[in-house]
Amino acid sequence: MATCTKQDSWSQFISHLEGALSNAEFANWIKPISLKCVDSVSVTLCVPNVFVQEYLLDNFYEDLVTFLPVDGKGKPSIIFEIAEQKKRKAVNLPAVQDAPKVDLKLNSSYTFETFIEGPANQFVKSAAMGVASRPGHSYNPLFVHGGVGLGKTHLLHAIAHHVQSQHKNLKILYVTAEGFINDLMRHLKGKSLDKMKQYYRSLDVLLIDDIQFLQNRPNFEEELCSTIEALINQNKQVVISSDKPPAQLKLSERLIARMEWGLVAHLGCPDLETRVAILQSKAEQKGIRLPSKVAFFIAEHIFQNVRQLEGAVNRLGAYCRMMHLDVTEEVAEKTLGEMFCTQPSAKVSVDNILKSVAAIFDVRLSDLRGSSRMKEIAYARQVAMYLAKELVPDSLVKLASAFGGKTHSTLLHAWKKIKNQLPQDEMLKRQVQLARREIGA
Ligand code: ADP
Ligand code: MG
């Protein structure tokens, strides 16, 4: 290279890469780089973002040293400049304005306004709002993960609604991973893959829902990964949802690394207060009058899935309307009982019951197993005995012995007493419900 000018060295480096890389890789990573200026000691390159800079240094260090000038320590003497925001915007706009409007098939009620926030989802909601306000300029990609029915799709739609109303010129696509696969298959069959690639790469905001469906589909995965890289390199916003964090997905290292590059945010199960607020908001949207006592009752029993909470409101509302009934706890229990979360009682042990009852009644574990007749202790012990008989499928003798060697008739007496008292004692009912929930029964 000694005889080349530096400008020539750069051109030679580029043609070397063109031969070494796939078309997609070259287009995504190398094409966006431009040579800004050359002087006697260094080369200044303009890159769209720091990822491209890292990609170049990580993957082509040896080639850079071979083709370009080096400093005193033998390192490539390159000055990187990140392209200015304004310039990129100006470049993007014409394509965006020409873009045909597509129907995104969004659920009109999935907006930020209707997304109730609480400690478990506040962070994700803020990140989603940040991305929707400044697409491509905050977290990229934004990766949202959480269990079924916790609001991932709702948030992705909310981002799309917000971008549609606040950034009218931006071209958005909301697609599930399955939808992407179908799209790709259709274009492969129709030999129009280039058209699809062109379309996806012209987007300003790409929202991909349920990326876990891409697992074990390596052919489709590669295309999606290239699309994501191409968009991020142009500072176009990518948002991805999944039921697991990136590292737990059975996807290529390349895609996982790409997804971890931006912001990974977890959507947790909402706490009791948030669940109550969600129930009340859903009831209001459906025109159902839901007393807060009933909302609490439902929220105490359905806690893993917001979609189920919504289903509960709909079912209860429809039943009460049809039967001309007021919405009460009794009606809720009758109509929704089967939806209430229960776990196999085989998992419940007397030990668990004792621990949870001791915590709820604020007594010591040893007192529950002991023989103290103090009112509070004896009462808590009777509740624990009631729960043991209800939840643990062992003989009465065995259950009673787990209470420090009591007799089976003591246990039976306690069970009867609490069972009879439950219907008329609101406080006791709540304590028993709480204990059941803590035990997971
Ligand atoms: P996911 O995609 O995570 O499986 P969805 O986004 O489909 O879950 O949410 C399931 C239902 O629960 C939707 O009707 C959604 O509106 C509702 N939902 C979930 N989280 C919330 C929330 N925080 N506030 C209001 N509604 C919510
Ligand atoms: Mg979903």
Side-chain angles (χ1 to χ4, degrees):
M1 293 311 110
T3 54
C4 296
T5 65
K6 292 184 180 73
Q7 177 102 35
D8 284 347
S9 311
W10 175 249
S11 316
Q12 286 187 2
F13 173 66
I14 291 295
S15 10
H16 165 72
L17 292 190
E18 211 163 357
L21 294 174
S22 72
N23 287 347
E25 275 175 314
F26 187 82
N28 292 344
W29 291 102
I30 307 301
K31 245 183 154 178
I33 307 172
S34 59
L35 179 67
K36 194 165 178 204
C37 65
V38 190
D39 62 29
S40 54
V41 285
S42 63
V43 172
T44 304
L45 299 179
C46 187
V47 288
N49 54 46
V50 73
F51 302 134
V52 171
Q53 171 182 337
E54 282 170 9
Y55 174 85
L56 199 63
L57 292 173
D58 285 351
N59 293 284
F60 303 105
Y61 192 86
E62 296 298 321
D63 301 302
L64 289 168
V65 172
T66 312
F67 284 90
L68 301 183
V70 290
D71 63 14
K73 291 178 186 155
K75 291 182 179 167
S77 182
I78 307 173
I79 300 164
F80 285 99
E81 276 185 12
I82 308 287
E84 284 169 44
Q85 223 84 292
K86 265 191 281 163
K87 263 191 195 161
R88 281 197 305 271
K89 257 196 172 163
V91 170
N92 295 338
L93 274 174
V96 165
Q97 279 166 344
D98 291 340
K101 285 269 169 255
V102 280
D103 176 14
L104 293 179
K105 301 195 173 60
L106 300 174
N107 184 322
S108 60
S109 63
Y110 288 1
T111 61
F112 285 128
E113 289 71 36
T114 58
F115 190 85
I116 307 294
E117 63 179 81
N121 61 29
Q122 224 154 25
F123 176 63
V124 186
K125 185 180 177 185
S126 307
M129 288 173 78
V131 156
S133 314
R134 301 180 66 241
H137 299 301
S138 40
Y139 320 104
N140 211 4
L142 170 63
F143 186 98
V144 175
H145 68 96
V148 175
L150 293 183
K152 301 182 292 294
T153 299
H154 186 135
L155 276 178
L156 261 56
H157 284 211
I159 295 174
H161 283 306
H162 190 88
V163 174
Q164 268 186 330
S165 68
Q166 300 299 312
H167 309 273
K168 293 198 167 40
N169 288 329
L170 296 190
K171 193 167 155 190
I172 319 166
L173 180 68
Y174 164 85
V175 68
T176 61
E178 264 181 318
F180 178 84
I181 292 173
N182 292 341
D183 227 9
L184 192 54
M185 292 213 296
R186 214 179 45 247
H187 281 93
L188 280 169
K189 263 192 207 151
K191 301 200 178 3
S192 52
L193 191 59
D194 282 349
K195 211 169 144 196
M196 174 176 169
K197 284 189 182 193
Q198 207 181 355
Y199 175 70
Y200 272 81
R201 282 161 178 69
S202 71
L203 294 167
D204 294 286
V205 179
L206 173 61
L207 305 147
I208 309 157
D209 208 356
D210 289 326
I211 201 157
Q212 70 274 9
F213 286 114
L214 217 64
Q215 292 176 113
N216 308 317
R217 325 272 312 244
N219 299 336
F220 302 108
E221 185 189 327
E222 199 181 320
E223 183 49 39
L224 185 66
C225 190
S226 300
T227 306
I228 293 173
E229 283 174 348
L231 291 175
I232 293 178
N233 287 342
Q234 298 173 71
N235 286 303
K236 305 299 182 65
Q237 184 67 51
V238 177
V239 182
I240 303 168
S241 89
S242 161
D243 65 350
K244 299 181 200 71
Q248 284 175 28
L249 287 165
K250 289 191 192 85
L251 293 170
S252 69
E253 276 179 26
R254 176 181 161 206
L255 184 52
I256 290 173
R258 179 45 93 181
M259 294 188 301
E260 283 178 334
W261 235 333
L263 180 71
V264 175
H266 178 240
L267 202 50
C269 288
D271 63 2
L272 182 67
E273 273 70 34
T274 316
R275 294 200 299 279
V276 170
I278 291 174
L279 281 167
Q280 284 169 334
S281 151
K282 299 285 178 192
E284 203 182 304
Q285 283 171 40
K286 297 263 151 59
I288 300 165
R289 212 191 63 76
L290 183 71
S292 53
K293 215 170 143 194
V294 183
F296 263 100
F297 177 69
I298 300 173
E300 271 171 351
H301 286 86
I302 300 178
F303 39 88
Q304 284 161 336
N305 185 326
V306 179
R307 192 174 292 137
Q308 276 185 338
L309 283 178
E310 201 173 358
V313 171
N314 293 342
R315 199 197 282 197
L316 186 60
Y319 183 81
C320 290
R321 201 170 294 148
M322 244 171 6
M323 309 301 283
H324 304 290
L325 292 170
D326 284 340
V327 180
T328 61
E329 275 175 274
E330 284 68 35
V331 182
E333 183 150 30
K334 198 168 152 209
T335 45
L336 308 175
E338 79 212 37
M339 293 174 80
F340 290 169
C341 295
T342 51
Q343 279 171 14
S345 47
K347 276 191 181 167
V348 178
S349 67
V350 174
D351 268 357
N352 289 344
I353 293 173
L354 289 171
K355 272 185 210 145
S356 107
V357 169
I360 290 165
F361 287 83
D362 198 19
V363 296
R364 284 190 309 221
L365 208 59
S366 55
D367 283 339
L368 291 179
R369 287 205 184 94
S371 50
S372 164
R373 288 176 186 247
M374 260 177 70
K375 212 169 133 202
E376 292 78 18
I377 296 172
Y379 184 57
R381 192 185 297 125
Q382 285 173 335
V383 173
M385 287 180 166
Y386 164 81
L387 285 166
K389 174 159 160 38
E390 287 286 305
L391 303 174
V392 184
D394 278 339
S395 70
L396 286 183
V397 175
K398 198 164 169 204
L399 290 178
S401 72
F403 282 81
K406 308 280 184 310
T407 64
H408 80 277
S409 58
T410 309
L411 191 129
L412 200 59
H413 171 74
W415 173 74
K416 268 192 199 144
K417 184 184 158 207
I418 300 296
K419 192 175 164 60
N420 291 337
Q421 197 176 328
L422 263 174
Q424 61 253 0
D425 189 335
E426 208 50 42
M427 180 73 162
L428 176 63
K429 214 191 264 181
R430 284 216 168 217
Q431 286 163 327
V432 167
Q433 271 165 13
L434 202 63
R436 277 177 178 269
R437 217 177 85 204
E438 283 230 337
I439 301 157

